Amino acid sequence: MSFNIKKICCIGAGYVGGPTMSVVAQQCPHIQITIVDVNVERIAAWNDENLDNLPVYEPGLTQIVAEARGRNLFFSTDVDKAVDEADMIFISVNTPTKNYGKGKGMAADLKYIELCARQIASVAKTDKIIVEKSTLPVRTAAALKSILDHTGNGVNFHILSNPEFLAEGTAIQDLLAPDRVLIGGENQEAIDTLVKIYQNWVPDTNILTTNLWSSELSKLTANAFLAQRVSSINSISELCEKTGANVDEVSKAIGMDTRIGSKFLKASVGFGGSCFQKDILNLVYIARSYGLNEVADYWDQVIIMNDHQKQRFADNIIQTLYNTVSGKKITFLGWAFKKDTNDTRESAAIYVADYLLSEQAEITIYDPKVTAERIYADLDYLNTRSPEENRALVKVVNDPIQACQDAHAIAVLTEWDEFKNYDWYTIKHQMKRPAFIFDGRKLLNRKYLEDLGFKYYAIGE
Ligand code: NAD
Ligand code: UGA
């Protein structure tokens, strides 16, 4: 038995809501999907005739939006109307780390989630299934249910947890062929209804149903495990640098053990992105709130290691450049937190830049998908120095070759494929000597660059 779903509303048109619901719309032409957001500019960008202006850059996204938009996929700022008409509502709003009050710097800020619940309750006149798509602390569904039941119009709400596991840069392929879809709930009919939607393109064997709390906790746990692998290999990268071992060789050697597996063992300047840090901080906070201090300390170490990795990448640049970067031009190739996305949230580049700017470096940045406005906003948000100082010390350019001209050093912060194919001969000849490259992604070819005369440093070598 399942409910009949004709219309879906998704609240939150961000990096998750936009791509996820576009794929659901593409795969389920019989369901009308409206994605709503309070951010007027974002909705206008999703509705832009020119698909290059979509607010989220993801390979393959434009084709999907082109196919479904205006057919059964709509973007709107009219939240009340879409909520009222929907049989099923996905909540996909942001759940950032709280930056005030109790739990500041650790807990998830659930104010946007609660606002959604109150708005749904006040508008809904018919029964609805509410789907938690945002990443939430375990037991949030109980709070949502309480708000919906006490402030609503006497209609029935069934709450499901359906966390999203897509990674940015590969969102469309992750959504089209997910390792698993996870659905947690208490009401079997509601669970079956959501299962039926995914069955339009996901094989039954990849659809897993659990209780609500397992589903909520699995999402935080998955991110904690993934981030832990990056911090684990990054910790080994430092040991490699001291001992003559090469971290790529170590990764390969351990990854071939099928019990360990080869993915997520790429040493780097540190993990970034909007979720790893926030979700681990949240896990640590939850563990501490239950008095589980050993559990909390265990996961906290993943963040400590990541902060250390960013700091020591910057320290190595300073030390190698004869212990001063004051007044020196350092060129950053890449600002996004990984390749194939325009997202810069918590990108390692932001923190490395901040350390170097505190040492009075002059930084020039090139990233193929990130705008100058975004880069300055990221630096201003740190509040380390005034916006005027940030603009005086940091230049953002559109041409990578020009970016490298007269630089003392190049730092590779994002693993964009195009960096591999640059005319490194020309770059070398336009740089100050010795010409240094600090490869935070282990992207470039050491032998080729050293033959050209570069001084090449890579993480974990
Ligand atoms: P985002 O900031 O890109 O998008 C969230 C959107 O929600 C914003 O556009 C915001 O304006 C809108 N919003 C907030 N409150 C609203 C309200 N009351 N009514 C209408 N719109 C509202 O965030 P995101 O990256 O899409 O992440 C959303 C959630 O998904 C988070 O909980 C995150 O942890 C989780 N998640 C993110 C990813 C990822 O790769 N980014 C992957 C899996 C899960
Ligand atoms: C991550 C998870 O992979 C998704 O499953 C999850 O849904 C998502 O978080 C989320 O909840 O937001 P995402 O942050 O988009 O996805 O990107 P990842 O591919 O996980 O990369 C995260 C960071 O780790 C990046 O900075 C990346 O460069 C770094 N990383 C990743 C490494 O340094 N080494 C690796 O081997 C893998």
Side-chain angles (χ1 to χ4, degrees):
M1 281 274 285
S2 63
F3 299 102
N4 186 19
I5 301 294
K6 292 202 185 101
K7 289 190 180 179
I8 289 179
C9 162
C10 171
I11 308 181
Y15 282 86
V16 168
T20 304
M21 289 298 134
S22 297
V23 167
V24 178
Q26 188 215 27
Q27 297 296 324
C28 306
H30 55 288
I31 302 177
Q32 181 180 311
I33 297 183
T34 306
I35 311 180
V36 292
D37 204 295
V38 286
N39 184 332
V40 179
E41 277 175 25
R42 218 169 207 188
I43 290 297
W46 280 113
N47 281 323
D48 202 306
E49 298 244 316
N50 181 352
L51 289 164
D52 288 339
N53 294 336
L54 295 184
V56 171
Y57 171 72
E58 272 297 337
L61 176 65
T62 48
Q63 293 88 316
I64 301 223
V65 172
E67 184 183 333
R69 196 176 63 182
R71 178 189 73 184
N72 65 325
L73 175 66
F74 302 91
F75 296 90
S76 165
T77 51
D78 194 344
V79 182
D80 282 357
K81 180 167 184 282
V83 165
D84 179 29
E85 291 178 353
D87 312 300
M88 179 179 265
I89 300 168
F90 285 75
I91 301 182
S92 188
V93 300
N94 37 330
T95 50
T97 304
K98 222 177 150 192
N99 60 6
Y100 56 90
K102 189 162 181 268
K104 180 178 174 180
M106 299 292 296
D109 191 344
L110 297 180
K111 70 179 168 204
Y112 306 107
I113 292 284
E114 178 164 344
L115 277 172
C116 287
R118 288 184 185 275
Q119 189 163 8
I120 293 168
S122 73
V123 169
K125 297 190 283 293
T126 52
D127 295 354
K128 299 190 190 304
I129 297 174
I130 309 299
V131 184
E132 297 175 342
K133 182 52 96 178
S134 297
T135 301
L136 297 168
V138 55
R139 295 210 68 86
T140 304
L144 271 182
K145 178 101 182 107
S146 172
I147 294 167
L148 288 166
D149 287 349
H150 286 96
T151 62
N153 305 314
V155 301
N156 285 317
F157 293 105
H158 296 299
I159 300 185
L160 297 175
S161 160
N162 173 220
E164 184 48 61
F165 295 101
L166 69 79
E168 290 177 30
T170 53
I172 300 304
Q173 74 194 58
D174 294 343
L175 288 163
L176 288 174
D179 283 356
R180 76 329 208 159
V181 166
L182 177 59
I183 300 170
E186 282 170 345
N187 179 287
Q188 196 56 47
E189 208 172 340
I191 294 174
D192 291 345
T193 305
L194 188 53
V195 167
K196 210 171 142 193
I197 291 173
Y198 281 109
Q199 277 173 334
N200 282 291
W201 77 101
V202 180
D204 285 355
T205 42
N206 295 43
I207 302 177
L208 178 66
T209 60
T210 65
N211 82 28
L212 265 174
W213 320 122
S214 305
S215 174
E216 288 180 336
L217 185 56
S218 296
K219 174 63 198 178
L220 292 181
T221 308
N223 273 358
F225 269 61
L226 289 168
Q228 182 199 41
R229 282 176 70 95
V230 179
S231 273
S232 295
I233 200 65
N234 280 346
S235 76
I236 299 301
S237 75
E238 191 169 13
L239 198 52
C240 287
E241 289 167 29
K242 298 283 179 219
T243 57
N246 180 316
V247 75
D248 276 346
E249 293 180 353
V250 175
S251 289
K252 187 164 183 195
I254 64 165
M256 283 173 75
D257 185 327
T258 52
R259 295 169 302 174
I260 296 174
S262 61
K263 292 181 183 163
F264 262 70
L265 285 180
K266 183 79 183 166
S268 68
V269 57
F271 61 74
S274 61
C275 292
F276 277 180
Q277 175 166 302
K278 132 179 120 62
D279 292 347
I280 294 177
L281 288 171
N282 190 211
L283 194 66
V284 170
Y285 183 75
I286 294 168
R288 266 199 225 295
S289 72
Y290 285 107
L292 309 178
N293 287 325
E294 291 78 6
V295 178
D297 290 346
Y298 179 77
W299 288 107
D300 203 16
Q301 195 59 35
V302 174
I303 304 279
I304 292 171
M305 189 62 228
N306 197 48
D307 289 340
H308 171 66
Q309 190 76 350
K310 292 179 271 188
Q311 173 82 61
R312 77 180 191 85
F313 183 75
D315 284 345
N316 184 37
I317 295 178
I318 298 161
Q319 267 172 31
T320 311
L321 295 186
Y322 316 106
N323 285 315
T324 176
V325 288
S326 180
K328 291 183 179 164
K329 173 173 172 175
I330 298 178
T331 298
F332 275 29
L333 293 181
W335 188 260
F337 80 97
K338 62 186 286 198
K339 73 170 178 178
D340 291 340
T341 179
N342 61 343
D343 195 351
T344 65
R345 290 176 289 181
E346 291 300 328
S347 179
I350 302 171
Y351 298 95
V352 174
D354 194 44
Y355 298 135
L356 295 175
L357 290 171
S358 296
E359 293 290 328
Q360 301 181 342
E362 291 174 13
I363 299 182
T364 297
I365 299 162
Y366 167 78
D367 186 290
K369 289 288 173 198
V370 180
T371 62
E373 291 73 23
R374 182 70 261 151
I375 291 172
Y376 289 127
D378 289 336
L379 289 168
D380 293 347
Y381 185 77
L382 297 176
N383 245 333
T384 314
R385 59 195 69 73
S386 69
E388 293 71 34
E389 283 173 290
N390 282 331
R391 278 149 193 78
L393 290 171
V394 177
K395 264 200 213 129
V396 182
V397 296
N398 291 326
D399 174 2
I401 307 292
Q402 182 205 336
C404 298
Q405 203 157 15
D406 291 324
H408 289 262
I410 292 171
V412 179
L413 274 305
T414 313
E415 72 282 21
W416 286 104
D417 289 330
E418 66 171 58
F419 298 165
K420 290 188 271 194
N421 305 321
Y422 285 170
D423 178 357
W424 286 102
Y425 175 85
T426 302
I427 291 176
K428 162 80 178 45
H429 285 276
Q430 294 180 352
M431 280 178 70
K432 294 259 192 283
R433 290 181 200 180
F436 293 97
I437 298 183
F438 298 89
D439 190 344
R441 295 294 183 166
K442 298 176 69 63
L443 182 75
L444 306 176
N445 184 315
R446 170 183 290 280
K447 177 155 188 335
Y448 171 65
L449 293 171
E450 285 182 345
D451 286 351
L452 288 177
F454 280 104
K455 300 259 178 223
Y456 177 79
Y457 293 81
I459 296 270
E461 290 177 16

